[in-house]
Amino acid sequence: MNVCSLRIDDRALTVAAGTSLLLAARRAGIVIPSLCHLDGLTPVGACRLCLVEVDTAGPLAACVTAAAEGMRVRTDTPLLRDIRRSLVEMLFSEGNHTCAVCIADGDCELQTMALRVGMDHNRLPGRFPSRTVDLSHPLFGLDHNRCILCTRCVRVCDEVEGAHVWDVGWRGERCRIIAGLDQPWGAVDSCSHCGKCVEVCPTGALFHKGSCGGDHPSHPERLAALLRGRRRQEGPP
Amino acid sequence: MTDSPAPQRRITIDPLTRIEGHARITIDLDARGSVQRARLHVSEFRGFEAFCVGRPFTEMAAITARICGICPVSHLLTAAATGDRILAVTIPPAAERLRRLMNLAQILQSHALSFFHLSSPDLLLGWDSDPERRNLFGLIAADPELARAGIGLRQFGQELIAALGGRRIHPAWAVPGGVRSALNGEQRQGIRAGLPQAFASVELGLALFKRLLDERLREELAVFGDFASPFLALVDATGQWEHYGGSLGVAGCGGGIRVMASDGSLLADGLDGTAMETLLAEAVEPWSYLKFPYLRALGPEAGSYRVGPLARLNLCRRIGSPRADRELLELRQRGGRVVTASFLYHLARLIEMLACLEQIERLLDDPLITSTQLRAHAGVNAREGVAVNEAPRGTLFHHYRVDGDGLIEAVNLIIATGQNNAAMNRTITQIARHYLGRGQLSEGLLNRIEAGIRCFDPCLSCSTHAAGMMPLLVQLRGADGALLDEQRRD
Ligand code: SF4
Ligand code: SF4
Ligand code: FES
């Protein structure tokens, strides 16, 4: 096995070459903040919350940076703390996150992250964009106001369910998640109604229709268990 | 008086103390220095529409409960009931009982706050007593037993609400189609155990208030808003006291909205929420953000009506539980078959607290209260829904229109405080006329005006109530708007 040794904060460790810094740190007992990352899905480096300082380069996204021999990594510095808080503030001011009336209130990774990065208030003004809610699907809804474009739904539907309903459409401030190349979700035949995208969504953007504040059954951790089960079924190669 | 020349001086009281909100009062004097009219200016603006349009109707409970933070439970229940209409379902019987239980708890704790915390310091200590003492703390010093009774009653109601909906501030417990959880046996026991003390507390308040009415509040009875007006409230299918309108409009459920003139003649009866637009219209005045609903058939003047505890007691044939019915009889002996004195809203609140406790007791014995069949599931089956319930302060209407997917297209809410808006203005005008001798401002006058409004227990802000004295600004202005005098207390 090809291995490499590196230092993360003050811990020396040796991991298999190619391991991402996010996972390597986790082995060392260090949990780097992350939002778009979800075990079982291909990392994309969308949210940038996992930025770490690497001696040979500037801040790098730990979820998409492979560990390398002799690397010295720092996961918690004043610069990183400032960047992380700013990133979360930008997520909040970019969309319409009215936690008080959100179905995911109290069960939202964005909210948890705001607490973790010490965002006691938002230093940035809100943009209050005009965004829509798609309730055309018989079982689920998508509220673009609460989407942080982490693309977990895009990836889980493509990589795990194999239906590839979702894509990222448009650019800049108009960027949003689209179903079936921009149709109402309910009109997309390829959706199998499996609900995986709803389960992995970190916010209240994807939800079960009819759910009201405080009953948001989101279980991103189930994905890892599902994938483990599938691997068992497929058996050893 | 209304034909008098343009007002010459204006006296402003701002902000109101111990009303849950920010409001401003102006007293317009005529050239002779007599009161022409008094007005309560409501300057809060709650943009319901902006929050609601485009949202799933299932979120209305959370949104309206947040915007109207004073009685979130009433909005929660009414939003859920409006949702029932959009799903076009009849909710499970257990869910209806549980919703009733929560509404009773809400009425109880809200009335306890209004009577014991906000009003009894004035009633007990007198309008002209030391302002520093005329608050909850003064009450604790003067009559600790009464203060404790009020605190205990509030707690009883709040604990029942929490047992049903959970500890979070705005529980989304009632949902379109039903409720999310029942009471467990242990909770039921706990609540039952608190009932004897709660009954005793209400009796204490009743005895005190009736004694004060007999001894020294006679003038208040005549001056604090005694006038003829229609009253509007729900009654049940047999004409008894009602607080929950959930099954209105469902075939065979009877009961409904009743409107009665103060001579006892019925102006409307047996209506369900869908009659709202035919029955009511809303006037807008440039000096207040709060609309003035009125009975369309009678027009804005004669059609201004009162809602709330007194309206409910006026309109029902009887309450339907022994202790409360005994008190209702006494109320009618005191004030007539249709009581027109707004000061007796306080007594009506106390009687309703008894009614709530008796009905809570009855519901706790109902085996369905611990049922697990609590929610009907359905999609959008109707594009429009109206529901009507009795909130502590009066009748509450929610009306939504949705698109085929259930996204809100239009919302209209008619709240109790709006429906009592005209009555509050009439009340403070009456008080100002009586007590403003030659344009002389006094602490006692200001406090009486505030107390006149407090008869209606308006929900003018999402701010919490002040346990102590709030700053009060009194301004005397000339016809040209120039400030002639200013009184301030901090
Ligand atoms: S429900 Fe399943 S198939 Fe449909 S969009 Fe979501 S993940 Fe894809
Ligand atoms: S809908 Fe949810 S999972 Fe999909 S991109 Fe937006 S936030 Fe992420
Ligand atoms: S977790 Fe690495 S960029 Fe989002």
Side-chain angles (χ1 to χ4, degrees):
Chain A
M1 184 192 248
N2 215 344
V3 297
C4 59
S5 299
L6 70 164
R7 288 190 82 81
I8 302 184
D9 294 340
D10 286 320
R11 325 279 273 272
L13 74 155
T14 301
V15 294
T19 306
S20 77
L21 289 178
L22 190 77
L23 295 184
R26 198 189 288 170
R27 301 247 154 87
I30 299 164
V31 181
I32 299 172
S34 64
L35 264 180
C36 66
H37 175 83
L38 186 65
D39 287 352
L41 299 180
T42 310
V44 287
C47 73
R48 317 309 284 177
L49 270 163
C50 65
L51 284 183
V52 291
E53 289 197 67
V54 178
D55 56 352
T56 50
L60 295 173
C63 67
V64 287
T65 304
E69 184 60 37
M71 234 181 198
R72 301 178 80 85
V73 179
R74 289 198 297 154
T75 69
D76 190 19
T77 64
L79 173 70
L80 293 174
R81 282 198 288 272
D82 185 52
I83 291 176
R84 285 180 189 140
R85 173 167 174 170
S86 301
L87 285 168
V88 176
E89 286 174 331
M90 287 187 320
L91 287 175
F92 269 94
S93 59
E94 190 200 23
N96 295 310
H97 297 278
T98 317
C99 299
V101 298
C102 177
I103 47 150
D105 186 20
D107 181 23
C108 169
E109 291 180 49
L110 180 62
Q111 216 177 35
T112 310
M113 190 56 67
L115 287 176
R116 178 158 178 202
V117 301
M119 186 186 137
D120 46 10
H121 69 286
N122 198 344
R123 294 168 297 185
L124 305 172
R127 280 180 63 244
F128 305 113
S130 166
R131 295 186 185 169
T132 54
V133 183
D134 183 348
L135 287 187
S136 59
H137 193 281
L139 300 179
F140 314 121
L142 167 57
D143 185 346
H144 291 285
N145 292 286
R146 300 170 180 155
C147 175
I148 57 170
L149 294 169
C150 69
T151 72
R152 281 187 191 179
C153 55
V154 179
R155 286 174 282 154
V156 79
C157 188
D158 176 48
E159 297 172 9
V160 183
E161 180 60 9
H164 196 120
V165 169
W166 300 109
D167 282 288
V168 181
W170 315 100
R171 284 177 171 274
E173 64 168 6
R174 296 176 63 214
C175 188
R176 63 184 163 78
I177 296 297
I178 53 173
L181 298 176
D182 206 11
Q183 300 175 68
W185 189 0
V188 181
D189 290 337
S190 56
C191 174
S192 65
H193 299 200
C194 72
K196 289 187 182 64
C197 52
V198 181
E199 294 261 291
V200 300
C201 179
T203 68
L206 286 163
F207 54 90
H208 288 260
K209 269 171 95 167
S211 59
C212 307
D215 65 348
H216 174 236
S218 156
H219 303 284
E221 71 288 351
R222 282 190 190 158
L223 180 65
L226 175 75
L227 290 173
R228 275 198 303 278
R230 286 198 180 166
R231 273 195 299 273
R232 264 201 308 277
Q233 276 192 351
E234 281 159 10
Chain B
M1 278 294 213
T2 39
D3 301 321
S4 310
Q8 202 175 43
R9 291 184 290 165
R10 173 167 288 189
I11 300 162
T12 309
I13 304 174
D14 190 24
L16 259 76
T17 62
R18 278 174 282 142
I19 284 190
E20 291 170 304
H22 310 270
R24 191 164 59 91
I25 290 168
T26 55
I27 305 170
D28 294 334
L29 303 180
D30 61 22
R32 297 187 307 278
S34 315
V35 174
Q36 188 195 22
R37 63 167 173 248
R39 278 174 170 173
L40 170 64
H41 302 249
V42 178
S43 51
E44 290 165 42
F45 182 68
R46 301 176 189 142
F48 277 104
E49 291 270 323
F51 286 103
C52 301
V53 171
R55 304 302 312 167
F57 75 96
T58 46
E59 283 182 12
M60 286 304 290
I63 296 173
T64 53
R66 280 287 170 182
I67 297 170
C68 257
I70 305 279
C71 46
V73 171
S74 309
H75 284 286
L76 176 71
L77 294 174
T78 312
T82 316
D84 301 343
R85 302 275 171 285
I86 288 168
L87 303 180
V89 297
T90 305
I91 67 170
E96 180 179 327
R97 298 227 199 348
L98 288 158
R99 284 188 190 174
R100 283 179 172 278
L101 196 56
M102 187 179 258
N103 203 34
L104 291 165
Q106 158 79 351
I107 294 174
L108 177 73
Q109 70 94 8
S110 170
H111 282 3
L113 174 69
S114 167
F115 181 78
F116 291 91
H117 294 222
L118 302 180
S119 294
S120 66
D122 283 339
L123 302 174
L124 200 71
L125 305 172
W127 317 111
D128 302 298
S129 63
D130 178 5
E132 296 297 318
R133 292 184 53 239
R134 221 168 43 222
N135 53 40
L136 184 61
F137 303 112
L139 181 69
I140 292 172
D143 190 341
E145 205 192 343
L146 190 72
R148 254 200 312 275
I151 292 166
L153 272 173
R154 270 210 95 188
Q155 210 175 347
F156 178 86
Q158 279 166 338
E159 274 170 13
L160 178 46
I161 292 170
L164 289 164
R167 280 283 166 195
R168 295 178 60 189
I169 312 163
H170 294 309
W173 166 79
V175 288
V179 301
R180 278 218 299 252
S181 58
L183 277 187
N184 65 40
E186 197 183 316
Q187 288 167 324
R188 184 152 74 157
Q189 264 329 104
I191 294 155
R192 210 184 260 129
L195 274 170
Q197 181 58 50
F199 273 115
S201 298
V202 178
E203 297 283 6
L204 186 76
L206 262 171
L208 169 86
F209 189 64
K210 287 193 290 189
R211 181 166 54 76
L212 291 175
L213 279 176
D214 294 336
E215 285 171 5
R216 59 176 169 83
L217 295 174
R218 287 169 183 280
E219 190 173 85
E220 284 75 2
L221 213 56
V223 177
F224 282 42
D226 189 359
F227 48 83
S229 84
F231 289 89
L232 181 148
L234 290 180
V235 292
D236 82 356
T238 64
Q240 297 194 130
W241 186 80
E242 180 59 290
H243 63 97
Y244 177 79
S247 46
L248 283 181
V250 177
C253 282
I257 301 164
R258 174 177 282 184
V259 189
M260 192 185 266
S262 36
D263 64 4
S265 57
L266 284 181
L267 300 173
D269 200 15
L271 302 180
D272 68 34
T274 57
M276 168 179 152
E277 294 199 321
T278 335
L279 183 67
L280 305 177
E282 290 181 285
V284 180
E285 296 284 352
W287 47 272
S288 181
Y289 277 126
L290 198 58
K291 288 183 191 166
F292 292 77
Y294 60 90
L295 300 167
R296 202 180 280 277
L298 297 181
E301 281 289 319
S304 289
Y305 58 95
R306 281 178 273 182
V307 296
L310 191 62
R312 291 190 285 259
L313 294 193
N314 274 339
L315 298 200
C316 68
R317 187 169 58 79
R318 55 199 281 268
I319 291 174
S321 58
R323 288 184 180 206
D325 267 325
R326 261 198 310 276
E327 296 296 335
L328 177 63
L329 197 66
E330 212 184 306
L331 170 75
R332 288 179 179 171
Q333 282 160 358
R334 214 177 264 281
R337 170 60 188 85
V338 178
V339 180
T340 54
S342 302
F343 195 63
L344 290 177
Y345 266 91
H346 291 303
L347 187 52
R349 242 168 243 128
L350 286 159
I351 298 171
E352 284 202 327
M353 283 191 249
L354 268 191
C356 289
L357 287 172
E358 286 180 300
Q359 296 217 358
I360 288 170
E361 188 171 37
R362 204 179 291 164
L363 280 169
L364 286 178
D365 290 334
D366 191 320
L368 277 177
I369 284 296
T370 52
S371 161
T372 49
Q373 274 170 334
L374 298 172
R375 187 170 178 180
H377 290 272
V380 175
N381 292 307
R383 299 286 287 270
E384 202 164 346
V386 190
V388 47
N389 277 324
E390 289 291 339
R393 295 164 178 84
T395 318
L396 172 64
F397 298 82
H398 277 209
H399 180 189
Y400 316 152
R401 223 177 48 237
V402 299
D403 72 7
D405 290 335
L407 293 173
I408 295 279
E409 288 177 341
V411 173
N412 190 22
L413 312 183
I414 298 188
I415 60 164
T417 297
Q419 294 167 92
N420 281 333
N421 198 2
M424 288 192 287
N425 284 287
R426 288 179 75 171
T427 299
I428 58 174
T429 301
Q430 218 176 45
I431 291 173
R433 277 193 190 141
H434 192 87
Y435 292 105
L436 188 84
R438 293 289 100 193
Q440 286 284 70
L441 287 177
S442 66
E443 183 72 33
L445 166 72
L446 305 186
N447 209 44
R448 281 177 174 90
I449 288 172
E450 293 173 22
I453 291 170
R454 228 174 280 132
C455 290
F456 300 91
D457 188 24
C459 58
L460 290 175
S461 167
C462 299
S463 69
T464 50
H465 78 284
M469 192 58 78
M470 275 176 70
L472 186 69
L473 180 67
V474 184
Q475 290 177 317
L476 192 62
R477 289 201 212 123
D480 54 357
L483 194 66
L484 301 177
D485 189 15
E486 189 175 80
Q487 272 190 28
R488 212 194 153 93
R489 73 174 184 217
D490 295 306

